[in-house]
Amino acid sequence: MDTKHITVLGSGNIGLSLAKGLVKANIFQPANITLTRRNAAALQPYADLGYQTTANNAEAVAKADIVVLAVLPQQLNKLLDEIKPALNPAKHLLISVISGVSCQDICNHLDFDIEVVRAMPNTAIAIGQSMTCLATSNASAENLALVKSMFDTVGVSIQINEELMTSATALCACGIAFFLRSIRAASQGGTEIGFHAHDALKMAAQTAKGAADLLLQLASHPEQEIDKVTSPKGCTIAGLNEMEHNGFSSAMIKGIKMSADKAGVLYKND
């Protein structure tokens, strides 16, 4: 990647975390990454580290090979209008991390074809633990592999069909909040049965991390691991059944479906 330059348009949490992950993995040097933001002064700490920073999106695109679109859905059309004169379909690869926006939506607004890869990371990208889903309708296999190698530096990535990207948003991006809320609820339960709040939170978070690692490292199924913890007339099955009687699984499923419905119209509504 030494000869390539990447520009991140809209350097918020996701864009900045990706930039830092690429540098940490020695895929890009800070000098080969341009970060943009309306308030460029907010990027001064990154400028001090050697990143290029600017508020001029078109100028940043002109010198880039790879352009990451990392703004809100309602800001996208204005951004595309701003950078359109600087885009060259023969040169540029676009990576969009914007919810609810298809590759074709971007090409339609630009009124020309350009290679676009959609990526849906989550906020665990900040610690290199993102679950990122990738999809495209027009990018080459080579460019898709390039994007995958980029996001593999900040977690785990998989390729999916583009029609499933809205679902991926709900399960993986919104899902971070759902699992955090369940950890918060477990810690509150721990406080109610006698632990100090900070101890209960640490215990709940580590227990959740251990549960996830059991599935990932053993390639196991949740019910297999649950069966190892439940015994006849035991306390674990009693607690699980009480949660199910109160709609635990149903609430999670309904929440994911609701988020998927909402994610699918974010761009269209705006």
Side-chain angles (χ1 to χ4, degrees):
M1 300 280 184
D2 287 347
T3 61
K4 292 188 179 293
H5 194 98
I6 183 169
T7 284
V8 180
L9 303 178
S11 299
N13 291 334
I14 297 295
L16 291 175
S17 294
L18 175 61
K20 288 187 287 187
L22 294 172
V23 170
K24 186 177 181 180
N26 285 322
I27 291 183
F28 282 89
Q29 297 302 311
N32 293 104
I33 301 177
T34 297
L35 306 173
T36 80
R37 200 165 181 167
R38 282 178 294 185
N39 177 16
L43 295 172
Q44 187 57 48
Y46 293 89
D48 295 340
L49 293 172
Y51 295 86
Q52 299 188 42
T53 63
T54 181
N56 190 322
N57 291 317
E59 182 181 275
V61 166
K63 63 183 177 184
D65 301 288
I66 302 168
V67 178
V68 180
L69 306 173
V71 297
L72 296 174
Q74 59 267 32
Q75 298 170 330
L76 176 61
N77 287 349
K78 182 179 178 182
L79 176 65
L80 291 177
D81 291 338
E82 182 182 354
I83 67 173
K84 181 176 178 178
L87 284 171
N88 179 355
K91 173 188 178 184
H92 289 116
L93 168 66
L94 302 185
I95 301 173
S96 171
V97 298
I98 305 171
S99 299
V101 181
S102 71
C103 300
Q104 193 59 51
D105 286 334
I106 292 171
C107 293
N108 287 346
H109 191 84
L110 290 171
D111 202 28
F112 56 74
D113 285 332
I114 188 168
E115 290 191 52
V116 184
V117 175
R118 292 177 67 182
M120 184 47 59
N122 58 37
T123 55
I125 192 174
I127 57 168
Q129 292 293 328
S130 176
M131 176 66 250
T132 302
C133 294
L134 304 170
T136 187
S137 63
N138 65 354
S140 67
E142 180 184 2
N143 277 335
L144 184 60
L146 183 152
V147 175
K148 187 176 190 306
S149 71
M150 291 169 57
F151 280 94
D152 280 344
T153 68
V154 286
V156 176
S157 64
I158 62 169
Q159 182 185 355
I160 62 174
N161 293 330
E162 190 177 8
E163 59 264 28
L164 289 173
M165 283 299 284
T166 298
S167 299
T169 302
L171 184 59
C172 301
C174 304
I176 281 281
F178 304 152
F179 289 110
L180 288 171
R181 180 57 61 85
S182 69
I183 292 170
R184 171 61 174 154
S187 73
Q188 288 176 310
T191 302
E192 187 162 338
I193 60 176
F195 296 104
H196 290 293
H198 63 278
D199 289 333
L201 180 57
K202 183 175 183 178
M203 294 161 72
Q206 178 58 37
T207 301
K209 183 175 184 293
D213 283 346
L214 278 173
L215 303 183
L216 293 171
Q217 294 182 26
L218 301 181
S220 185
H221 189 278
E223 292 305 322
Q224 287 181 289
E225 300 306 320
I226 288 172
D227 286 346
K228 295 176 184 177
V229 187
T230 54
S231 55
K233 296 185 178 181
C235 55
T236 304
I237 191 63
L240 281 173
N241 286 342
E242 183 66 18
M243 292 178 192
E244 290 302 325
H245 291 323
N246 285 280
F248 180 81
S249 294
S250 178
M252 180 74 85
I253 293 166
K254 287 181 177 179
I256 290 171
K257 290 178 67 179
M258 177 62 73
S259 287
D261 291 342
K262 179 69 173 178
V265 298
L266 285 174
Y267 178 62
K268 296 178 177 63
N269 282 350
D270 292 309

